[in-house]
Amino acid sequence: MARPRTPLLSRERIVGAALALADAEGLAALSTRRLATELSVSGPSLYNHFATKDELLDAVVDSVMGEVDLSMFGPGADWRAALRDWARSYRAALAAHPNVVPVLAQGPGRRPNALRLADAVFGCLVEAGWPRGQATRIGALMRYFVTGSALGSFAAGFPEDATLYGEEYPHLGEAHRLAEHRRRIDEGAFETGLEALLDGLELRYARLAGEGRAPGAG
């Protein structure tokens, strides 16, 4: 029998299968034995590509970060527009893989795509004239906001049982209808929060410019 032209396994194939498993059943389902079954290989063969489960998990999480668009952070980019477009792409990537968000929320660690993301955001802000300390805090703020928005659905958290609310919760008389409009409410909340954050940063930026600590906000 002729040998296959490409190896049976690759890091990319393993990561793809692991991410699909995590998406479908959660990170708790991700084990060497289960992944080997999904790939129709022996468990030990996975260790030729990943020495530990933690190394594999890092690669899976970082593959999600690789889905985030960073093209808006080119030289001379408008910092506000760049942050807005990046935040939307970031949230879309997390929304597509919600089960890995708790791990992503811990920070970039040694993950290359996550570090590239942090570098791009920080670099754009500093180039725009934000003091380095402020740029660091803004990067943290945006990560908190985006990952928080992807941890769960606000609208889906309210049961659709209208009898639950009654007189005890007089202001929640329509809460049973929130889940019905989950996507519109959650996306609207994200956009409202994003614009509010950017508006606040715009004011701070203008104040810094007035103090001679940043270039004009125009």
Side-chain angles (χ1 to χ4, degrees):
M1 179 182 296
R3 295 180 62 185
R5 294 184 178 182
T6 57
L8 180 62
L9 281 180
S10 67
R11 286 179 66 91
E12 292 75 18
R13 185 182 172 208
I14 295 170
V15 168
L19 180 58
L21 183 59
D23 285 342
E25 300 182 32
L27 289 175
L30 187 57
S31 67
T32 301
R33 178 178 297 180
R34 178 67 187 281
L35 188 56
T37 299
E38 293 291 323
L39 291 166
S40 300
V41 299
S42 64
S45 65
L46 298 177
Y47 292 110
N48 293 326
H49 300 273
F50 296 98
T52 65
K53 180 181 176 180
D54 286 342
E55 184 182 333
L56 171 60
L57 181 58
D58 269 351
V60 170
V61 170
D62 203 44
S63 70
V64 175
M65 288 291 88
E67 298 179 14
V68 182
D69 184 11
L70 300 178
S71 63
M72 67 287 294
F73 292 117
D78 175 85
W79 67 267
R80 175 174 177 143
L83 283 185
R84 180 194 296 112
D85 293 344
W86 162 71
R88 288 170 175 166
S89 177
Y90 192 5
R91 180 176 182 269
L94 300 192
H97 308 285
N99 290 335
V100 305
V101 173
V103 180
L104 282 169
Q106 297 172 8
R110 295 177 178 270
R111 302 171 195 134
N113 287 327
L115 288 169
R116 275 191 287 272
L117 185 154
D119 181 74
V121 174
F122 181 77
C124 175
L125 292 169
V126 171
E127 182 182 317
W130 284 97
R132 296 174 69 86
Q134 293 270 12
T136 299
R137 288 190 285 274
I138 292 169
L141 167 67
M142 296 301 293
R143 183 165 68 84
Y144 296 153
F145 174 67
V146 176
T147 56
S149 74
L151 282 173
S153 166
F154 173 82
F158 290 86
E160 297 182 56
D161 180 5
T163 64
L164 171 66
Y165 306 99
E167 295 182 359
E168 189 172 355
Y169 310 104
H171 303 296
L172 298 180
E174 298 295 318
H176 64 285
R177 303 180 60 185
L178 292 176
E180 180 184 348
H181 305 285
R182 170 179 175 173
R183 181 172 179 177
R184 178 169 61 84
I185 292 170
D186 290 344
E187 291 184 357
F190 174 78
E191 289 295 329
T192 298
L194 178 59
E195 290 303 322
L197 280 177
L198 294 174
D199 285 346
L201 291 175
E202 190 85 62
L203 291 173
R204 180 180 291 268
Y205 189 72
R207 186 163 60 249
L208 290 173
E211 297 171 355
R213 298 170 60 191

